Amino acid sequence: MEISTLTTYHCLAFVWYFFITYSITRVRTEERPSEVFLYGGQWKYLTVLNLVLQAVFYGVSFLADVLRLIKKLRCAKCVISSRDLLFSVLAFPVSTFVSIAFWTLYTYNRELVYPKSLDGVIPLWLNHAMHTAVLPFAVLEILATPHRYPAKKKGVVLLGFVALLYISWVLWIYSVTGEWVYPLFALFSPAGLAAFFAGSLAIIISFYNFGEFLNRMIWGQSKFCF
């Protein structure tokens, strides 16, 4: 993809995610269903944190494109390194996990992750923007430009560390409120919940590996342009 076209795409993607993040934060708390508690606000949900992550990623990508356009190649290399790390370790695996995990659980029993009462608060289009569109955006990014992946051990450790931070946040919220962020968690015993978290971590690492595989299949090992 030409750099000017790529710049336009990344700019539009950034604006889109900024708009979606703004839209979800504008949902009025007084309209929330009884199942949704206030502690932690919107920031207790992985879906919302992912929207912020995607906005940051596309903002960094847009900056990298602009620096390449104006021939600031030394600065561009530094920003591109940050862009690639963000995409490989977080943006692709987290967005893929959010979309697939949400719709899998939603199909099984939506009350476990997205109670029907939320339909009166969050419009259908916004639900799909948060949980559906994130996956094609992630795949399109791989098709649009190559990304340099870190060493496997480094990538997995960084992803695992971020996942553990979120799990710690979920457990902290439960310790303070006695309520689980997602009703699903209330179904498990402590051992079962630990197994669920471990399984989820294994799945998100598999998405990391899948992203690396797609990137290598499409772009090979050497097509990294600055």
Side-chain angles (χ1 to χ4, degrees):
M1 187 180 290
E2 293 291 331
I3 182 60
S4 57
T5 305
L6 196 61
T7 304
T8 302
Y9 164 65
H10 283 147
C11 180
L12 292 175
F14 168 72
V15 171
W16 167 255
Y17 275 112
F18 184 87
F19 168 70
I20 297 303
T21 303
Y22 174 79
S23 297
I24 194 64
T25 57
R26 294 297 294 173
V27 173
R28 291 183 293 180
T29 56
E30 61 267 23
E31 295 180 351
R32 75 189 190 283
S34 58
E35 300 94 329
V36 178
F37 56 94
L38 284 176
Y39 190 87
Q42 305 283 8
W43 314 112
K44 57 180 173 284
Y45 299 112
L46 184 60
T47 294
V48 178
L49 295 175
N50 180 57
L51 294 176
V52 175
L53 168 64
Q54 301 303 320
V56 170
F57 164 71
Y58 282 105
V60 172
S61 297
F62 175 62
L63 175 60
D65 297 336
V66 170
L67 290 173
R68 289 171 65 190
L69 278 174
I70 63 176
K71 308 300 183 182
K72 299 289 186 179
L73 298 185
R74 181 175 298 179
C75 294
K77 286 183 179 181
C78 180
V79 177
I80 287 172
S81 295
S82 300
R83 178 204 71 183
D84 289 348
L85 191 64
L86 267 175
F87 180 77
S88 60
V89 174
L90 294 177
F92 182 84
V94 173
S95 59
T96 305
F97 179 83
V98 164
S99 183
I100 293 178
F102 175 83
W103 288 113
T104 299
L105 292 169
Y106 184 99
T107 302
Y108 174 71
N109 182 354
R110 66 170 297 176
E111 296 299 319
L112 297 177
V113 289
Y114 194 85
K116 190 173 179 61
S117 54
L118 284 174
D119 291 345
V121 180
I122 299 176
L124 181 62
W125 72 267
L126 186 53
N127 181 22
H128 282 292
M130 295 188 297
H131 297 115
T132 307
V134 292
L135 181 55
F137 262 105
V139 174
L140 182 58
E141 177 62 22
I142 285 185
L143 296 174
T145 187
H147 295 277
R148 190 183 299 277
Y149 272 66
K152 179 63 66 68
K153 182 178 180 181
K154 177 182 178 181
V156 170
V157 167
L158 286 174
L159 176 57
F161 176 72
V162 173
L164 289 175
L165 282 180
Y166 180 69
I167 291 172
S168 299
W169 174 226
V170 168
L171 294 175
W172 169 260
I173 291 173
Y174 178 74
S175 72
V176 172
T177 66
E179 301 281 349
W180 288 111
V181 172
Y182 298 103
L184 169 69
F185 298 157
L187 300 179
F188 296 105
S189 65
L193 190 61
F196 177 83
F197 285 147
S200 298
L201 180 57
I203 290 171
I204 201 170
I205 288 174
S206 73
F207 290 148
Y208 168 87
N209 290 328
F210 181 62
E212 184 179 30
F213 169 77
L214 284 180
N215 187 74
R216 184 172 64 251
M217 290 296 294
I218 295 169
W219 298 102
Q221 298 281 15
S222 58
K223 297 181 179 179
F224 296 95
C225 302
F226 298 102

